[in-house]
Amino acid sequence: QVQLVESGGGLVQAGGSLRLSCEASGFVFSLYYMNWYRQAPGKQRELVAGIDRLGRTTDYADSVKGRFTISRDNAKSTVYLQMNSLNPEDTAVYYCNADGPWNKYWGQGTQVTVSL
């Protein structure tokens, strides 16, 4: 059974930091490009960051460049999103996504709320 389980969300003040984790199971994690998406109320889901299978290449939305860092540990089948200098515009549900040669998988999401 494929599972992507996000954790680490919560309430934080503007300027603070959070680290999201997404633990995968049920598929060969190292074969999948991993992404973090987010969806704010009333807005479309947007791609935040992505990382290649070996963790050598990363990509970020312009809105988070320099503040967020995506990383992965293939031995633990886990992808991370370190979020620094958070601001209220970062408030959203954050989703982990596995993008593979045959399938795409999604986690259930974790809420991140940034207060002033």
Side-chain angles (χ1 to χ4, degrees), residues 6-28:
E6 300 103 332
S7 61
L11 175 64
V12 64
Q13 286 190 325
S17 298
L18 284 174
R19 189 193 194 204
L20 305 183
S21 298
C22 171
E23 185 172 358
S25 60
F27 63 98
V28 183

Side-chain angles (χ1 to χ4, degrees), residues 56-102:
R56 293 176 181 172
T57 302
T58 58
D59 194 22
Y60 297 93
D62 287 344
S63 58
V64 307
K65 278 181 182 176
R67 300 188 298 122
F68 290 12
T69 303
I70 188 171
S71 61
R72 67 190 293 163
D73 185 338
N74 285 348
K76 296 182 179 180
S77 297
T78 301
V79 62
Y80 305 96
L81 187 67
Q82 177 67 43
M83 305 185 295
N84 299 328
S85 302
L86 286 161
N87 58 63
E89 289 69 39
D90 296 316
T91 294
V93 177
Y94 284 72
Y95 297 90
C96 176
N97 164 257
D99 189 357
W102 303 284

